[in-house]
Amino acid sequence: MTKLKIKSGDTVKVISGDHKGSEGKVLKVLKDKNKAIVEGVNMVKKHTKPSAQNPQGGIVEKEASIHISNLSLLTSKGETTRVGYRMDGDKKVRFSKKSNEVI
């Protein structure tokens, strides 16, 4: 299993695929599938049966997962960057390879 460099809570940009150029916050990372769910990106319609939480049933829009390789981390300046790891003292930190600042 490879080390995923994108974590939940990060702001990312989609760099390839149907939703190229979209930006959003990572809601959840699925490590076993190398995918992430990004807020407002890759919306799909799901047909649901009536239930206690949704007595009407009907069509619900929700986010579908997108592969990690199609995402790039956004820095505080709004530019995309790759992520690296380094040791600061005795603590391991993530840093931006473009600006060399700690994330």
Side-chain angles (χ1 to χ4, degrees):
M1 183 179 282
T2 60
K3 176 79 172 162
L4 299 181
K5 297 183 178 183
I6 292 178
K7 307 207 177 286
S8 61
D10 287 345
T11 305
V12 294
K13 184 174 188 175
V14 180
I15 56 173
S16 66
D18 291 341
H19 304 283
K20 182 178 181 176
S22 303
E23 297 176 5
K25 187 176 180 182
V26 176
L27 300 175
K28 188 175 183 181
V29 176
L30 309 170
K31 282 187 175 185
D32 55 333
K33 295 181 181 178
N34 287 338
K35 293 187 174 199
I37 297 174
V38 182
E39 186 177 31
V41 177
N42 201 14
M43 299 296 286
V44 294
K45 294 184 183 212
K46 181 175 170 75
H47 297 263
T48 58
K49 282 184 166 182
S51 65
Q53 289 133 356
N54 188 5
Q56 238 358 49
I59 301 171
V60 177
E61 279 201 39
K62 61 182 251 179
E63 292 96 356
S65 60
I66 189 166
H67 201 271
I68 292 284
S69 66
N70 295 337
L71 301 175
S72 182
L73 189 72
L74 284 176
T75 61
S76 56
K77 297 175 186 172
E79 55 188 15
T80 60
T81 183
R82 291 182 297 152
V83 179
Y85 286 93
R86 68 174 176 221
M87 297 299 288
D88 265 357
D90 49 338
K91 194 171 186 181
K92 187 177 182 181
V93 294
R94 290 189 312 159
F95 72 98
S96 163
K97 289 197 173 184
K98 192 176 265 187
S99 64
N100 210 15
E101 67 182 34
V102 175
I103 299 171

Coordinates of all heavy atoms in Angstrom, one line a residue:
M1 N 0.8 -1.2 0.0 CA 0.0 0.0 0.0 C 0.9 1.2 0.0 O 1.8 1.3 0.7 CB -0.9 0.0 1.2 CG -1.9 1.1 1.3 SD -2.9 1.1 2.7 CE -4.1 -0.1 2.2
T2 N 0.6 2.2 -0.9 CA 1.4 3.4 -1.0 C 0.9 4.5 0.0 O -0.2 4.4 0.5 CB 1.3 4.0 -2.4 OG1 -0.1 4.3 -2.6 CG2 1.8 3.0 -3.4
K3 N 1.8 5.4 0.3 CA 1.5 6.5 1.2 C 0.7 7.5 0.5 O 1.1 8.0 -0.6 CB 2.9 7.1 1.7 CG 2.7 8.3 2.6 CD 2.4 7.9 4.0 CE 2.4 9.1 4.8 NZ 1.8 8.9 6.1
L4 N -0.5 7.9 1.0 CA -1.3 8.9 0.4 C -0.9 10.3 0.9 O -0.8 10.4 2.1 CB -2.8 8.7 0.6 CG -3.3 7.3 0.1 CD1 -4.8 7.2 0.4 CD2 -3.1 7.2 -1.4
K5 N -0.6 11.2 0.1 CA -0.2 12.5 0.5 C -1.3 13.6 0.6 O -1.0 14.7 1.0 CB 0.9 13.0 -0.5 CG 2.1 12.1 -0.4 CD 3.2 12.5 -1.3 CE 4.4 11.5 -1.2 NZ 5.6 11.9 -1.9
I6 N -2.5 13.2 0.3 CA -3.6 14.0 0.5 C -4.5 13.5 1.7 O -4.7 12.3 1.7 CB -4.5 14.1 -0.8 CG1 -3.7 14.8 -1.9 CG2 -5.8 14.8 -0.6 CD1 -4.3 14.9 -3.2
K7 N -4.8 14.4 2.5 CA -5.5 14.0 3.7 C -6.9 14.7 3.8 O -7.1 15.7 3.1 CB -4.7 14.4 5.0 CG -3.3 13.9 4.9 CD -2.8 13.7 6.3 CE -1.4 13.1 6.2 NZ -1.3 11.7 5.9
S8 N -7.8 14.2 4.6 CA -9.1 14.9 4.7 C -8.9 16.3 5.3 O -8.1 16.5 6.2 CB -10.1 14.0 5.5 OG -9.6 13.9 6.8
G9 N -9.7 17.2 4.8 CA -9.6 18.6 5.3 C -8.7 19.5 4.3 O -8.7 20.7 4.4
D10 N -7.9 18.8 3.5 CA -7.1 19.6 2.5 C -8.0 20.2 1.4 O -9.0 19.6 1.1 CB -6.1 18.6 1.8 CG -4.9 18.2 2.7 OD1 -4.8 18.9 3.8 OD2 -4.2 17.3 2.4
T11 N -7.5 21.3 0.9 CA -8.2 21.9 -0.3 C -7.4 21.4 -1.5 O -6.2 21.6 -1.6 CB -8.2 23.4 -0.2 OG1 -8.8 23.8 1.0 CG2 -9.0 24.0 -1.4
V12 N -8.1 20.9 -2.5 CA -7.5 20.3 -3.7 C -8.1 20.8 -4.9 O -9.2 21.4 -4.9 CB -7.6 18.7 -3.7 CG1 -6.8 18.1 -2.5 CG2 -9.0 18.3 -3.6
K13 N -7.4 20.6 -6.0 CA -7.9 21.0 -7.4 C -7.9 19.7 -8.2 O -6.9 18.9 -8.2 CB -7.0 22.0 -8.0 CG -7.5 22.6 -9.3 CD -6.7 23.7 -9.8 CE -7.3 24.4 -11.0 NZ -6.6 25.6 -11.4
V14 N -8.9 19.5 -9.0 CA -8.9 18.3 -10.0 C -8.1 18.7 -11.2 O -8.3 19.7 -11.8 CB -10.4 18.0 -10.4 CG1 -10.4 16.8 -11.3 CG2 -11.2 17.7 -9.1
I15 N -7.1 17.9 -11.5 CA -6.1 18.2 -12.6 C -6.4 17.4 -13.8 O -5.8 17.7 -14.9 CB -4.7 18.0 -12.1 CG1 -4.4 16.6 -11.6 CG2 -4.3 19.0 -11.1 CD1 -3.0 16.3 -11.3
S16 N -7.3 16.4 -13.8 CA -7.6 15.7 -15.0 C -9.0 15.0 -14.9 O -9.5 14.8 -13.8 CB -6.6 14.6 -15.3 OG -6.6 13.6 -14.3
G17 N -9.6 14.7 -16.0 CA -10.9 14.0 -16.0 C -12.0 15.0 -16.3 O -11.8 16.1 -16.7
D18 N -13.2 14.5 -16.1 CA -14.4 15.3 -16.5 C -14.5 16.6 -15.7 O -15.1 17.5 -16.1 CB -15.7 14.5 -16.3 CG -15.8 13.3 -17.3 OD1 -15.1 13.4 -18.3 OD2 -16.6 12.4 -17.1
H19 N -14.1 16.5 -14.4 CA -14.2 17.7 -13.5 C -13.0 18.5 -13.4 O -12.7 19.2 -12.4 CB -14.7 17.2 -12.2 CG -15.9 16.4 -12.3 ND1 -17.2 16.9 -12.4 CD2 -16.1 15.0 -12.3 CE1 -18.1 16.0 -12.5 NE2 -17.5 14.8 -12.4
K20 N -12.1 18.5 -14.4 CA -10.8 19.2 -14.4 C -11.1 20.7 -14.1 O -11.9 21.3 -14.7 CB -10.2 19.1 -15.8 CG -8.8 19.7 -15.9 CD -8.2 19.5 -17.2 CE -6.8 20.1 -17.3 NZ -6.1 19.8 -18.5
G21 N -10.3 21.2 -13.2 CA -10.4 22.6 -12.8 C -11.2 22.9 -11.6 O -11.2 24.0 -11.0
S22 N -12.0 21.9 -11.2 CA -12.9 22.1 -10.0 C -12.0 22.1 -8.8 O -11.0 21.4 -8.7 CB -13.9 21.0 -9.9 OG -14.7 21.0 -11.1
E23 N -12.4 22.8 -7.8 CA -11.7 22.9 -6.5 C -12.7 22.5 -5.4 O -13.9 22.8 -5.5 CB -11.2 24.3 -6.2 CG -10.1 24.7 -7.2 CD -9.6 26.1 -7.0 OE1 -10.0 26.7 -6.0 OE2 -8.9 26.6 -7.9
G24 N -12.2 22.0 -4.3 CA -13.0 21.6 -3.2 C -12.2 21.1 -2.0 O -11.0 20.9 -2.1
K25 N -12.9 20.9 -0.9 CA -12.3 20.4 0.3 C -12.5 18.8 0.4 O -13.6 18.3 0.1 CB -13.0 21.0 1.5 CG -12.4 20.7 2.8 CD -13.1 21.5 3.9 CE -12.5 21.2 5.3 NZ -13.2 22.0 6.3
V26 N -11.5 18.1 0.8 CA -11.5 16.7 0.9 C -12.4 16.3 2.1 O -12.0 16.7 3.2 CB -10.1 16.0 1.0 CG1 -10.2 14.5 1.1 CG2 -9.3 16.4 -0.3
L27 N -13.4 15.6 1.9 CA -14.3 15.2 3.0 C -13.8 13.8 3.6 O -13.9 13.7 4.8 CB -15.7 15.0 2.5 CG -16.4 16.2 1.9 CD1 -17.8 15.9 1.4 CD2 -16.5 17.3 3.0
K28 N -13.4 12.9 2.7 CA -13.0 11.6 3.2 C -12.0 11.0 2.3 O -12.1 11.2 1.1 CB -14.2 10.7 3.3 CG -14.0 9.4 3.9 CD -15.4 8.6 4.0 CE -15.2 7.3 4.7 NZ -16.4 6.6 4.8
V29 N -11.0 10.2 2.8 CA -10.0 9.5 2.0 C -10.3 8.0 2.1 O -10.3 7.5 3.3 CB -8.6 9.9 2.4 CG1 -7.6 9.1 1.6 CG2 -8.4 11.4 2.2
L30 N -10.4 7.3 1.0 CA -10.6 5.9 1.0 C -9.2 5.2 0.7 O -8.9 5.1 -0.5 CB -11.6 5.5 0.0 CG -13.0 6.2 0.1 CD1 -13.8 5.9 -1.1 CD2 -13.7 5.9 1.4
K31 N -8.5 4.9 1.7 CA -7.1 4.4 1.6 C -7.0 3.1 0.8 O -6.1 3.0 -0.1 CB -6.4 4.2 2.9 CG -6.0 5.5 3.6 CD -5.2 5.2 4.8 CE -4.6 6.4 5.4 NZ -3.8 6.1 6.5
D32 N -7.9 2.2 1.0 CA -7.8 0.9 0.3 C -8.1 1.0 -1.2 O -7.6 0.2 -2.0 CB -8.8 -0.1 1.0 CG -10.2 0.4 1.0 OD1 -10.4 1.6 1.0 OD2 -11.1 -0.4 1.0
K33 N -8.8 2.0 -1.6 CA -9.1 2.2 -3.1 C -8.3 3.3 -3.7 O -8.5 3.6 -4.9 CB -10.6 2.5 -3.2 CG -11.5 1.4 -2.8 CD -12.9 1.7 -3.0 CE -13.9 0.6 -2.6 NZ -15.3 1.0 -2.8
N34 N -7.5 4.0 -2.9 CA -6.7 5.2 -3.4 C -7.6 6.3 -4.0 O -7.3 6.8 -5.0 CB -5.6 4.8 -4.4 CG -4.5 4.1 -3.8 OD1 -4.2 4.2 -2.6 ND2 -3.7 3.3 -4.6
K35 N -8.7 6.5 -3.3 CA -9.7 7.5 -3.8 C -10.0 8.5 -2.7 O -9.8 8.2 -1.5 CB -11.0 6.8 -4.3 CG -10.7 6.0 -5.6 CD -12.0 5.5 -6.1 CE -11.7 4.8 -7.4 NZ -13.0 4.7 -8.2
A36 N -10.6 9.6 -3.1 CA -11.0 10.6 -2.1 C -12.4 11.2 -2.5 O -12.7 11.2 -3.7 CB -10.0 11.7 -2.0
I37 N -13.2 11.6 -1.5 CA -14.4 12.3 -1.8 C -14.2 13.8 -1.6 O -13.8 14.2 -0.5 CB -15.5 11.7 -0.9 CG1 -15.7 10.2 -1.2 CG2 -16.8 12.5 -1.1 CD1 -16.7 9.5 -0.2
V38 N -14.5 14.6 -2.6 CA -14.2 16.0 -2.6 C -15.6 16.7 -2.6 O -16.5 16.4 -3.4 CB -13.4 16.5 -3.8 CG1 -13.1 17.9 -3.7 CG2 -12.1 15.7 -3.8
E39 N -15.7 17.7 -1.7 CA -17.0 18.4 -1.6 C -17.3 19.2 -2.9 O -16.5 20.0 -3.4 CB -16.8 19.5 -0.5 CG -18.0 20.2 -0.1 CD -17.8 21.1 1.1 OE1 -16.6 21.6 1.3 OE2 -18.7 21.4 1.9
G40 N -18.5 18.9 -3.4 CA -19.0 19.6 -4.6 C -18.5 19.1 -5.9 O -18.8 19.7 -7.0
V41 N -17.6 18.1 -5.9 CA -17.0 17.6 -7.2 C -17.5 16.2 -7.4 O -17.7 15.4 -6.5 CB -15.5 17.6 -7.1 CG1 -14.8 17.1 -8.3 CG2 -15.0 19.1 -6.8
N42 N -17.7 15.8 -8.7 CA -18.1 14.5 -9.1 C -19.5 14.1 -8.5 O -19.6 13.1 -7.9 CB -17.1 13.5 -8.8 CG -17.2 12.2 -9.6 OD1 -17.9 12.2 -10.6 ND2 -16.5 11.2 -9.1
M43 N -20.5 15.0 -8.6 CA -21.8 14.8 -8.1 C -22.5 13.8 -9.0 O -22.5 13.8 -10.2 CB -22.6 16.1 -8.1 CG -22.0 17.2 -7.2 SD -21.9 16.8 -5.5 CE -23.6 17.0 -5.0
V44 N -23.2 12.8 -8.3 CA -24.0 11.8 -9.0 C -25.4 11.8 -8.4 O -25.6 12.2 -7.2 CB -23.3 10.4 -8.8 CG1 -22.0 10.3 -9.6 CG2 -23.2 10.0 -7.4
K45 N -26.3 11.3 -9.2 CA -27.7 11.2 -8.7 C -28.0 9.7 -8.3 O -27.7 8.8 -9.0 CB -28.7 11.6 -9.8 CG -28.5 13.1 -10.1 CD -29.6 13.5 -11.1 CE -29.3 15.0 -11.4 NZ -30.4 15.8 -11.7
K46 N -28.5 9.6 -7.1 CA -28.8 8.2 -6.5 C -30.3 8.1 -6.3 O -30.9 9.0 -5.6 CB -28.0 8.0 -5.3 CG -28.2 6.7 -4.6 CD -27.2 6.5 -3.5 CE -27.5 5.3 -2.7 NZ -27.1 4.1 -3.2
H47 N -30.9 7.1 -6.8 CA -32.3 6.9 -6.6 C -32.5 6.1 -5.2 O -31.9 5.1 -5.0 CB -32.9 6.0 -7.7 CG -32.9 6.8 -9.0 ND1 -33.9 7.4 -9.5 CD2 -31.9 6.9 -9.9 CE1 -33.6 8.0 -10.7 NE2 -32.3 7.7 -10.9
T48 N -33.3 6.7 -4.3 CA -33.5 6.1 -3.0 C -34.9 5.7 -2.8 O -35.9 6.4 -3.2 CB -33.0 7.1 -1.9 OG1 -33.8 8.3 -2.0 CG2 -31.6 7.4 -2.0
K49 N -35.1 4.6 -2.0 CA -36.4 4.2 -1.6 C -36.8 5.0 -0.4 O -36.0 5.5 0.4 CB -36.3 2.7 -1.1 CG -36.3 1.7 -2.3 CD -36.4 0.3 -1.7 CE -36.7 -0.7 -2.8 NZ -36.8 -2.0 -2.2
P50 N -38.1 5.1 -0.1 CA -38.6 5.8 1.1 C -38.1 5.1 2.3 O -38.0 3.8 2.4 CB -40.1 5.7 1.0 CG -40.4 5.6 -0.5 CD -39.2 4.8 -1.0
S51 N -37.6 5.8 3.3 CA -37.1 5.3 4.6 C -37.6 6.2 5.7 O -38.2 7.2 5.5 CB -35.6 5.1 4.5 OG -35.0 6.4 4.5
A52 N -37.1 5.9 6.9 CA -37.5 6.7 8.1 C -36.8 8.1 8.0 O -37.4 9.1 8.3 CB -37.0 6.0 9.4
Q53 N -35.6 8.1 7.5 CA -34.9 9.4 7.4 C -35.4 10.2 6.2 O -35.4 11.5 6.2 CB -33.4 9.2 7.2 CG -32.7 8.8 8.5 CD -31.8 7.6 8.3 OE1 -31.7 7.1 7.1 NE2 -31.2 7.1 9.3
N54 N -35.8 9.5 5.1 CA -36.3 10.2 3.9 C -37.6 9.5 3.5 O -37.7 8.7 2.7 CB -35.2 10.0 2.8 CG -35.6 10.8 1.6 OD1 -36.5 11.6 1.5 ND2 -34.8 10.6 0.5
P55 N -38.7 10.0 4.1 CA -40.0 9.3 3.9 C -40.5 9.5 2.5 O -41.3 8.7 2.0 CB -41.0 10.0 4.9 CG -40.3 11.2 5.3 CD -38.8 11.0 5.1
Q56 N -40.1 10.5 1.7 CA -40.5 10.7 0.4 C -39.8 9.8 -0.6 O -40.4 9.4 -1.6 CB -40.2 12.2 0.0 CG -41.2 13.2 -0.5 CD -42.6 12.8 -0.6 OE1 -43.2 12.1 0.2 NE2 -43.2 13.1 -1.7
G57 N -38.5 9.5 -0.3 CA -37.7 8.8 -1.3 C -37.3 9.8 -2.4 O -37.3 10.9 -2.2
G58 N -37.0 9.2 -3.6 CA -36.7 10.1 -4.7 C -35.2 10.1 -5.1 O -34.5 9.2 -4.8
I59 N -34.8 11.2 -5.8 CA -33.5 11.3 -6.3 C -32.6 12.2 -5.4 O -33.0 13.3 -5.2 CB -33.5 11.8 -7.8 CG1 -34.3 10.8 -8.6 CG2 -32.1 11.9 -8.3 CD1 -34.6 11.4 -10.0
V60 N -31.5 11.7 -5.0 CA -30.6 12.4 -4.1 C -29.3 12.6 -4.8 O -28.8 11.7 -5.4 CB -30.4 11.6 -2.8 CG1 -29.4 12.4 -1.9 CG2 -31.7 11.4 -2.1
E61 N -28.7 13.9 -4.7 CA -27.4 14.1 -5.3 C -26.4 14.0 -4.2 O -26.5 14.5 -3.1 CB -27.4 15.5 -5.9 CG -28.0 15.6 -7.3 CD -27.5 16.8 -8.1 OE1 -26.3 17.1 -8.0 OE2 -28.3 17.4 -8.8
K62 N -25.3 13.3 -4.5 CA -24.2 13.1 -3.5 C -22.9 13.1 -4.3 O -22.8 12.8 -5.5 CB -24.4 11.9 -2.6 CG -24.4 10.6 -3.4 CD -24.7 9.4 -2.5 CE -23.5 8.6 -2.3 NZ -23.6 7.5 -1.4
E63 N -21.8 13.3 -3.5 CA -20.4 13.2 -4.1 C -20.0 11.8 -4.3 O -20.2 11.0 -3.4 CB -19.4 13.9 -3.2 CG -19.6 15.4 -3.1 CD -20.4 15.9 -1.9 OE1 -20.9 15.0 -1.1 OE2 -20.6 17.1 -1.7
A64 N -19.4 11.5 -5.4 CA -18.8 10.2 -5.6 C -17.3 10.3 -5.5 O -16.7 11.5 -5.5 CB -19.1 9.7 -7.0
S65 N -16.6 9.2 -5.3 CA -15.1 9.3 -5.1 C -14.4 9.6 -6.4 O -14.9 9.3 -7.5 CB -14.7 8.0 -4.5 OG -14.9 6.9 -5.3
I66 N -13.2 10.1 -6.3 CA -12.4 10.5 -7.4 C -11.0 10.0 -7.0 O -10.5 10.0 -5.9 CB -12.4 12.0 -7.7 CG1 -11.7 12.3 -9.0 CG2 -11.9 12.8 -6.6 CD1 -12.0 13.7 -9.5
H67 N -10.2 9.5 -8.0 CA -8.9 8.9 -7.8 C -7.9 9.9 -7.3 O -7.9 11.1 -7.8 CB -8.4 8.2 -9.0 CG -7.4 7.1 -8.7 ND1 -6.0 7.4 -8.7 CD2 -7.5 5.8 -8.4 CE1 -5.3 6.4 -8.3 NE2 -6.2 5.4 -8.2
I68 N -7.1 9.6 -6.4 CA -6.1 10.5 -5.8 C -5.1 11.0 -6.9 O -4.7 12.2 -6.8 CB -5.2 9.7 -4.7 CG1 -6.1 9.4 -3.5 CG2 -4.0 10.5 -4.3 CD1 -6.4 10.5 -2.6
S69 N -4.8 10.3 -7.9 CA -3.9 10.7 -9.0 C -4.5 11.9 -9.8 O -3.8 12.6 -10.4 CB -3.5 9.6 -9.9 OG -4.7 9.2 -10.6
N70 N -5.8 12.1 -9.7 CA -6.4 13.2 -10.4 C -6.6 14.5 -9.6 O -7.2 15.4 -10.0 CB -7.8 12.8 -10.9 CG -7.8 11.7 -11.9 OD1 -6.8 11.5 -12.6 ND2 -8.9 10.9 -12.0
L71 N -6.0 14.4 -8.4 CA -6.1 15.6 -7.5 C -4.7 16.2 -7.2 O -3.7 15.5 -7.2 CB -6.7 15.2 -6.1 CG -8.1 14.5 -6.2 CD1 -8.5 14.1 -4.8 CD2 -9.1 15.5 -6.7
S72 N -4.7 17.5 -7.0 CA -3.4 18.2 -6.6 C -3.7 19.1 -5.5 O -4.7 19.8 -5.5 CB -2.9 19.0 -7.8 OG -1.7 19.6 -7.5
L73 N -2.9 19.2 -4.5 CA -3.1 20.0 -3.3 C -2.9 21.5 -3.7 O -2.0 21.9 -4.5 CB -2.0 19.6 -2.3 CG -2.2 20.3 -0.9 CD1 -3.4 19.6 -0.2 CD2 -1.0 20.1 -0.1
L74 N -3.8 22.3 -3.1 CA -3.7 23.8 -3.3 C -3.0 24.4 -2.1 O -3.3 24.0 -0.9 CB -5.1 24.4 -3.4 CG -5.8 24.2 -4.7 CD1 -7.2 24.8 -4.7 CD2 -5.0 24.9 -5.9
T75 N -2.0 25.3 -2.3 CA -1.4 26.0 -1.3 C -2.2 27.2 -0.8 O -3.3 27.4 -1.3 CB 0.0 26.6 -1.7 OG1 -0.3 27.5 -2.8 CG2 0.9 25.5 -2.2
S76 N -1.8 27.9 0.2 CA -2.5 29.0 0.8 C -2.6 30.2 -0.3 O -3.6 31.0 -0.2 CB -1.8 29.6 2.0 OG -0.5 29.9 1.7
K77 N -1.7 30.2 -1.3 CA -1.7 31.2 -2.3 C -2.7 30.8 -3.5 O -2.9 31.6 -4.4 CB -0.3 31.4 -2.9 CG 0.6 32.0 -1.9 CD 2.0 32.0 -2.4 CE 3.0 32.4 -1.4 NZ 4.4 32.4 -1.8
G78 N -3.2 29.6 -3.4 CA -4.1 29.1 -4.5 C -3.4 28.4 -5.6 O -4.1 28.3 -6.7
E79 N -2.2 28.1 -5.5 CA -1.5 27.4 -6.6 C -1.3 25.9 -6.3 O -1.2 25.5 -5.1 CB -0.1 28.0 -6.9 CG 0.8 28.1 -5.7 CD 2.0 28.9 -6.0 OE1 2.1 29.6 -7.0 OE2 3.0 28.8 -5.2
T80 N -1.3 25.1 -7.3 CA -1.2 23.6 -7.1 C 0.3 23.3 -6.8 O 1.2 23.9 -7.3 CB -1.7 22.8 -8.3 OG1 -0.9 23.2 -9.4 CG2 -3.1 23.1 -8.6
T81 N 0.5 22.2 -6.0 CA 1.8 21.8 -5.7 C 1.8 20.3 -5.4 O 0.8 19.7 -5.1 CB 2.3 22.6 -4.4 OG1 3.6 22.2 -4.1 CG2 1.5 22.3 -3.2
R82 N 3.0 19.8 -5.4 CA 3.2 18.4 -5.0 C 3.6 18.4 -3.5 O 4.1 19.4 -3.0 CB 4.3 17.7 -5.8 CG 3.9 17.5 -7.2 CD 4.9 16.8 -8.0 NE 6.1 17.7 -8.1 CZ 7.3 17.2 -8.3 NH1 7.5 15.9 -8.4 NH2 8.4 18.0 -8.4
V83 N 3.4 17.3 -2.8 CA 3.6 17.2 -1.4 C 4.8 16.3 -1.1 O 5.0 15.3 -1.7 CB 2.4 16.6 -0.7 CG1 2.6 16.5 0.8 CG2 1.2 17.5 -1.0
G84 N 5.7 16.8 -0.2 CA 6.8 16.0 0.3 C 6.8 15.9 1.8 O 6.0 16.5 2.5
Y85 N 7.6 15.0 2.3 CA 7.8 14.8 3.8 C 9.2 15.1 4.2 O 10.1 14.7 3.4 CB 7.4 13.4 4.2 CG 5.9 13.2 4.2 CD1 5.3 12.6 3.0 CD2 5.1 13.4 5.2 CE1 3.9 12.4 3.0 CE2 3.7 13.2 5.2 CZ 3.1 12.7 4.1 OH 1.8 12.5 4.1
R86 N 9.4 15.7 5.3 CA 10.7 15.9 5.9 C 10.7 15.9 7.4 O 9.6 16.0 8.0 CB 11.4 17.2 5.3 CG 10.7 18.4 5.8 CD 11.5 19.7 5.3 NE 10.7 20.9 5.7 CZ 10.6 21.9 5.0 NH1 11.1 22.0 3.8 NH2 9.9 23.0 5.5
M87 N 11.8 15.8 8.0 CA 11.9 15.9 9.5 C 12.2 17.3 9.9 O 13.2 17.9 9.4 CB 13.0 14.9 10.0 CG 12.7 13.5 9.6 SD 11.2 12.8 10.3 CE 11.6 12.7 12.0
D88 N 11.4 17.9 10.8 CA 11.7 19.1 11.5 C 12.0 18.8 12.9 O 11.1 18.5 13.7 CB 10.5 20.1 11.4 CG 10.6 21.0 10.2 OD1 11.6 21.0 9.5 OD2 9.6 21.8 10.0
G89 N 13.3 18.7 13.3 CA 13.7 18.3 14.6 C 13.4 16.8 14.7 O 14.0 16.0 13.9
D90 N 12.5 16.4 15.5 CA 12.2 15.0 15.6 C 10.7 14.7 15.2 O 10.1 13.7 15.6 CB 12.4 14.4 17.0 CG 11.8 15.3 18.1 OD1 11.6 16.5 17.8 OD2 11.6 14.8 19.2
K91 N 10.1 15.7 14.5 CA 8.8 15.6 14.0 C 8.7 15.5 12.5 O 9.4 16.3 11.8 CB 8.0 16.8 14.5 CG 6.5 16.6 14.4 CD 5.8 17.7 15.1 CE 4.3 17.5 15.1 NZ 3.5 18.5 15.8
K92 N 7.9 14.6 11.9 CA 7.7 14.5 10.5 C 6.6 15.4 10.0 O 5.5 15.4 10.6 CB 7.4 13.0 10.2 CG 7.3 12.7 8.7 CD 7.0 11.2 8.5 CE 7.0 10.8 7.1 NZ 6.7 9.4 7.0
V93 N 6.9 16.3 9.0 CA 5.9 17.2 8.5 C 5.8 17.2 7.0 O 6.7 16.7 6.3 CB 6.3 18.7 8.9 CG1 6.3 18.9 10.4 CG2 7.7 19.1 8.4
R94 N 4.6 17.6 6.5 CA 4.4 17.7 5.1 C 4.8 19.1 4.7 O 4.6 20.0 5.4 CB 2.9 17.5 4.8 CG 2.4 16.1 5.0 CD 1.0 15.9 4.4 NE 0.0 16.9 4.8 CZ -1.1 17.2 4.2 NH1 -1.4 16.5 3.1 NH2 -1.9 18.1 4.6
F95 N 5.4 19.2 3.4 CA 5.7 20.5 2.9 C 5.4 20.5 1.4 O 5.3 19.5 0.7 CB 7.2 20.8 3.2 CG 8.2 20.0 2.4 CD1 8.7 20.5 1.2 CD2 8.5 18.7 2.7 CE1 9.6 19.8 0.5 CE2 9.4 18.0 1.9 CZ 10.0 18.5 0.8
S96 N 5.3 21.8 1.0 CA 5.0 22.1 -0.4 C 6.3 22.0 -1.2 O 7.2 22.7 -0.8 CB 4.3 23.4 -0.6 OG 4.4 23.9 -1.9
K97 N 6.4 21.2 -2.3 CA 7.6 21.1 -3.0 C 7.8 22.4 -3.9 O 9.0 22.7 -4.3 CB 7.6 19.9 -3.9 CG 7.8 18.6 -3.1 CD 8.2 17.5 -4.0 CE 8.5 16.3 -3.1 NZ 9.0 15.2 -3.9
K98 N 6.8 23.2 -4.2 CA 6.9 24.4 -5.0 C 7.5 25.5 -4.2 O 8.4 26.2 -4.6 CB 5.6 24.7 -5.6 CG 5.6 25.8 -6.7 CD 4.3 26.0 -7.3 CE 4.2 25.1 -8.6 NZ 2.9 25.4 -9.3
S99 N 6.9 25.8 -3.0 CA 7.3 26.9 -2.2 C 8.1 26.5 -0.9 O 8.6 27.4 -0.2 CB 6.0 27.7 -1.7 OG 5.3 26.8 -0.8
N100 N 8.3 25.2 -0.7 CA 9.1 24.7 0.4 C 8.5 25.1 1.8 O 9.3 25.1 2.8 CB 10.5 25.2 0.3 CG 11.5 24.1 0.8 OD1 11.1 23.0 1.1 ND2 12.7 24.5 1.0
E101 N 7.2 25.4 1.9 CA 6.7 25.8 3.2 C 5.9 24.6 3.8 O 5.4 23.7 3.1 CB 5.7 27.0 3.0 CG 4.5 26.7 2.2 CD 3.6 27.9 2.1 OE1 4.1 29.1 2.0 OE2 2.4 27.7 2.0
V102 N 5.8 24.6 5.1 CA 5.2 23.5 5.8 C 3.7 23.6 5.7 O 3.1 24.7 5.8 CB 5.6 23.5 7.3 CG1 4.8 22.4 8.1 CG2 7.1 23.2 7.4
I103 N 3.0 22.5 5.4 CA 1.6 22.5 5.2 C 0.9 22.2 6.5 O 1.2 21.3 7.2 CB 1.1 21.5 4.1 CG1 1.8 21.8 2.8 CG2 -0.4 21.4 4.0 CD1 1.6 20.8 1.8

